[in-house]
Amino acid sequence: METEQASHYLDLELLQGYLDSLGKAIVEQMFSLYSQQVEIYLHDIERAQVNDSLADWQEHCHKMKGAAASVGMCKLHGQLKLLEKTAASQQQKAVLLTELKLANGQAMLAFKDWLASH
């Protein structure tokens, strides 16, 4: 993936700082942990959507937003920032959730490609 594309999804300055100060092995562990946790976050967001629970939707979007920020996924973080506060209907949230899953996959791919190039 080109650097311009990676920078569309990732905070490259933050990630380079992690690499420089923590080393590649720790950054790989951070990404591995995110990869495990994001499955839980997405499941919890989906459950909140199915149950039409605004409080749970906001809570789980907030948690995933923080996790995305911590691994430098700036585009995904921005999307979650909007989702966390959305007043969308239950049906609209189903569409938003599908878009979120796609965006998460793109961000994870960008991260993997970036990490492989360092």
Side-chain angles (χ1 to χ4, degrees):
M1 178 176 287
E2 297 292 323
T3 301
E4 291 141 26
Q5 288 178 305
S7 66
H8 181 69
Y9 294 102
L10 305 175
D11 180 341
L12 298 177
E13 191 174 321
L14 174 73
L15 294 176
Q16 189 61 52
Y18 284 166
L19 265 185
D20 294 344
S21 60
L22 303 172
K24 188 171 182 177
I26 298 297
V27 176
E28 288 170 340
Q29 287 176 10
M30 290 169 59
F31 181 70
S32 177
L33 179 62
Y34 174 83
S35 299
Q36 294 166 25
Q37 290 296 115
V38 77
E39 294 301 320
I40 297 166
Y41 298 142
L42 288 169
H43 178 266
D44 289 345
I45 293 169
E46 185 168 7
R47 195 173 65 232
Q49 182 273 326
V50 168
N51 294 334
D52 203 16
S53 171
L54 180 60
D56 287 348
W57 173 273
Q58 289 176 336
E59 176 189 346
H60 298 303
C61 285
H62 182 79
K63 286 180 181 178
M64 186 173 169
K65 179 183 75 173
S70 73
V71 292
M73 294 179 178
C74 52
K75 184 177 181 195
L76 188 64
H77 174 266
Q79 187 173 355
L80 283 154
K81 198 172 176 181
L82 296 174
L83 289 182
E84 180 182 10
K85 301 298 181 193
T86 188
S89 70
Q90 184 179 17
Q91 292 77 17
Q92 290 168 320
K93 283 180 179 170
V95 173
L96 293 171
L97 177 59
T98 299
E99 292 170 355
L100 177 62
K101 289 177 180 178
L102 177 63
N104 180 67
Q106 291 168 332
M108 289 179 69
L109 182 62
F111 193 104
K112 285 180 195 172
D113 287 349
W114 172 82
L115 195 56
S117 71
H118 286 81

